[in-house]
Amino acid sequence: MLAEKIRDAKSVVIFTGAGMSTESGLPDFRSSHGVWQNVNPSEVATIEALNNNVTQFFEFYRTRVLGVREYQPNQGHYILAKWANEGLVSTIITQNVDGFHTAAGAPEVLELHGTLRTVHCQTCGKKYSNVMYEKQTYYCQCGGTLRPSVVLFGEFLDEHVMFKATVKSEKSTIFIVLGSSLTVSPANYFPELAKQHGAYLVIVNAEPTPLDAIADEVIQHERIGAFLTRMDEEITQLRKQR
Ligand SMILES: [Zn+2]
């Protein structure tokens, strides 16, 4: 029984993708904001755009920041945060940039692609809240350009975050994927690594993934929030029985 396995596991690592946040109602920026419908993110969300087409860059990310500020973490985020604070979950690794895990109270979230919750100065590195973008304040006190703290196309992922995620994946005894299609690298790298090091691999995703074949459990027909709620209830029951 999975709940029992989670309760008894030495190290549970959670890995979340876009499916985790769609349950918050957070729409894909393309569907909600017509202006950007014909714009390719790989053209505006780049380091080149930041340098050469900064007006469009600011407008694009302001739209995305406003989107994230408009929505909240869902029940699934809160259950994971609770588990992490109780020590039931060792680490949350996420592909999402909405910052919902942190907003829900989870400690030490490994955000592979950064976060839209903060912006920072491209020159001096000073951090600011994303309210700056909401207020259309795009420049630091030092005169440098404020950019969202996400990994842009053309930039490398944070080495420190990658290293931590690698170590945590290797050490995990249960690795649970929530709402990721596992098609983009390095998303597919971590569950595979965990499995190679002997973890029990669980994939909860509405669609099949390329790693279903090596997973110990694949759950397709239950929403993530419902799955986590069920697990949380079962774990609570198990604790009462002891
Ligand atoms: Zn600065």
Side-chain angles (χ1 to χ4, degrees), residues 121 124 140 142:
C121 174
C124 74
C140 178
C142 82

Side-chain angles (χ1 to χ4, degrees), residues 120-126 128 139-146:
H120 66 266
C121 174
Q122 181 79 346
T123 307
C124 74
K126 187 175 178 193
Y128 295 83
Y139 294 94
C140 178
Q141 285 160 340
C142 82
T145 308
L146 294 183

Side-chain angles (χ1 to χ4, degrees), residues 26-81:
L26 184 69
D28 188 276
F29 65 89
R30 283 167 186 279
S31 53
S32 61
H33 302 279
V35 189
W36 299 109
Q37 235 156 35
N38 299 314
V39 174
N40 186 347
S42 67
E43 281 165 23
V44 285
T46 64
I47 196 79
E48 289 81 26
L50 177 61
N51 292 326
N52 304 318
N53 195 356
V54 78
T55 307
Q56 196 183 34
F57 179 92
F58 289 151
E59 280 172 16
F60 175 76
Y61 274 109
R62 182 166 187 269
T63 306
R64 299 209 54 196
V65 162
L66 290 177
V68 165
R69 290 181 64 84
E70 200 180 319
Y71 293 88
Q72 273 84 43
N74 59 55
Q75 199 189 0
H77 292 103
Y78 286 108
I79 290 172
L80 290 177

